[in-house]
Amino acid sequence: MTICIAWIRKVNNCEELVFASDSRLRYGEYWDQCPKIMSFERQDCALAFAGHTYYAYPLMMQVYYAINQYYKIKSRAMDINDLNGYLLRSINSLSSSIVYDAKGNFSKDIVQNEFIFGGYLWTEKKFKLWMFKYDEEKNTFQKHSPFKNFLGKFGKIAIIGDKQKEFKNKLCKFLNEKYGAKCSNYIGRGFDMEPFEVLRNMLLEADSGSTIGGAPQIIKVYQYMNSRPLGVYWPQKDNYDVFKNRTLLGRKVPDFEDTEYWFMDPYTFYTNACHKNKTLNENNEEIE
């Protein structure tokens, strides 16, 4: 299972949409290097899943291919309000094609699968977030809204997965400890990195029997309508070697591997570029 979150982060006078998740999938064994978040070729939105791998992951991959093959969607001519409906119809079309056992028994496993979709809505100049959850009475996935103003002082946040109740309780406690009872000392305009800090702490406490685990994985969507994974040093950054302890979408990045992505210290939130290969000009001189 999973804990997956997405929230609107305030950064000075700007905003960004942050998706974050654990990296564990269980199927008798467990594997802590599994992607659960993806962006699309149009780059202004992202999708995350929680639930059983054999349902949620194939659904997410097929939706990914369906969206990327449609030019009106790829070109961003269809805004994410309309894309949200298209994506939900695609998920329901795919889930309706599942053939159950010979007796026609319905598998309750599908009920535990959930999705978060969100991105930048260019027609309204703001970020939007939705959750898709399975409705047993209607036998379809239905759209749900995220928390619109968490604790009355913070911005939008979506939470899915089997640990969502625990996460919500820990986030409330964390915010009250940081900003005083009922966040009375809070003078900001919304979330910063507090949801990530709670996720980080939960993953540090996870053991082999937990349904969550691995490194936190992150994708950010920006107001300039671009999205990008952000690597995380896990479980901490090595102060002497920026190439150690790198993870990207849950995967441990080998020391020998070069990448153009940046990596974040999970405690200070400072980021580092990790280019092993120097960029040279035509005179074979290093470009700063």
Side-chain angles (χ1 to χ4, degrees):
M1 299 295 284
T2 300
I3 180 63
C4 183
I5 53 178
W7 73 97
I8 298 174
R9 181 190 180 206
K10 305 289 185 178
V11 187
N12 298 321
N13 294 323
C14 299
E15 293 180 341
E16 59 186 23
L17 179 58
V18 186
F19 286 76
S21 172
D22 77 305
S23 299
R24 174 171 293 179
L25 290 177
R26 301 188 70 96
Y27 44 91
E29 302 81 24
Y30 69 87
W31 190 12
D32 283 348
Q33 300 194 50
C34 302
K36 297 185 178 182
I37 313 170
M38 63 168 51
S39 57
F40 301 93
E41 289 184 17
R42 61 183 282 147
Q43 291 294 308
D44 63 344
C45 55
L47 178 69
F49 83 88
H52 293 284
T53 314
Y54 49 85
Y55 277 116
Y57 189 73
L59 282 173
M60 187 169 77
M61 290 303 302
Q62 288 290 28
V63 165
Y64 172 84
Y65 291 123
I67 286 176
N68 285 342
Q69 62 83 36
Y70 189 178
Y71 180 75
K72 185 177 181 180
I73 294 177
K74 286 201 301 183
S75 67
R76 300 175 182 162
M78 180 185 292
D79 69 30
I80 64 165
N81 259 341
D82 292 334
L83 177 56
N84 166 60
Y86 181 91
L87 189 151
L88 182 58
R89 290 195 300 274
S90 296
I91 290 175
N92 280 323
S93 175
L94 286 162
S95 64
S96 68
S97 69
I98 298 172
V99 178
Y100 298 102
D101 66 28
K103 297 179 180 179
N105 291 332
F106 176 79
S107 173
K108 294 294 184 179
D109 289 348
I110 196 171
V111 178
Q112 300 176 39
N113 297 283
E114 303 169 294
F115 299 88
I116 298 176
F117 174 68
Y120 190 73
L121 179 59
W122 60 265
T123 54
E124 298 180 19
K125 307 298 188 294
K126 64 181 181 181
F127 287 108
K128 296 290 289 287
L129 264 177
W130 298 273
M131 297 182 292
F132 304 144
K133 300 186 177 185
Y134 198 84
D135 188 313
E136 292 186 79
E137 293 184 0
K138 297 181 179 179
N139 292 326
T140 58
F141 285 91
Q142 296 290 313
K143 179 175 62 177
H144 294 262
S145 298
F147 294 102
K148 293 183 178 180
N149 195 14
F150 195 79
L151 293 184
K153 297 190 176 186
F154 298 89
K156 289 183 180 179
I157 184 169
I159 309 167
I160 60 173
D162 64 316
K163 296 288 188 179
Q164 57 186 286
K165 183 176 181 180
E166 179 182 346
F167 177 87
K168 181 183 175 183
N169 291 337
K170 287 180 179 291
L171 180 58
C172 290
K173 182 179 179 181
F174 183 88
L175 292 169
N176 285 319
E177 289 176 350
K178 183 175 182 179
Y179 297 112
K182 297 183 179 180
C183 300
S184 57
N185 299 325
Y186 178 71
I187 57 174
R189 298 182 299 115
F191 284 115
D192 186 11
M193 291 295 285
E194 294 92 352
F196 173 83
E197 292 179 82
V198 174
L199 174 64
R200 175 201 65 201
N201 295 342
M202 289 178 67
L203 292 177
L204 289 171
E205 295 169 358
D207 58 25
S208 60
S210 177
T211 59
I212 62 171
Q217 53 186 268
I218 298 175
I219 286 181
K220 289 186 176 184
V221 184
Y222 301 98
Q223 286 177 308
Y224 55 90
M225 298 179 70
N226 199 1
S227 60
R228 191 171 176 83
L230 178 64
V232 179
Y233 290 108
W234 192 254
Q236 69 275 321
K237 180 183 176 184
D238 188 299
N239 292 327
Y240 302 99
D241 188 346
V242 297
F243 297 105
K244 286 187 176 181
N245 297 341
R246 294 176 300 165
T247 67
L248 184 64
L249 293 178
R251 181 178 69 91
K252 294 180 180 179
V253 181
D255 292 351
F256 59 79
E257 186 174 319
D258 196 14
T259 177
E260 295 183 355
Y261 292 109
W262 287 57
F263 293 81
M264 182 184 75
D265 184 316
Y267 298 95
T268 67
F269 313 128
Y270 293 139
T271 57
N272 280 92
C274 288
H275 299 293
K276 282 184 174 291
N277 298 325
K278 305 297 184 182
T279 302
L280 305 178
N281 62 19
E282 59 185 6
N283 297 319
N284 207 36
E285 297 170 332
E286 184 178 336
I287 300 174
E288 296 292 337

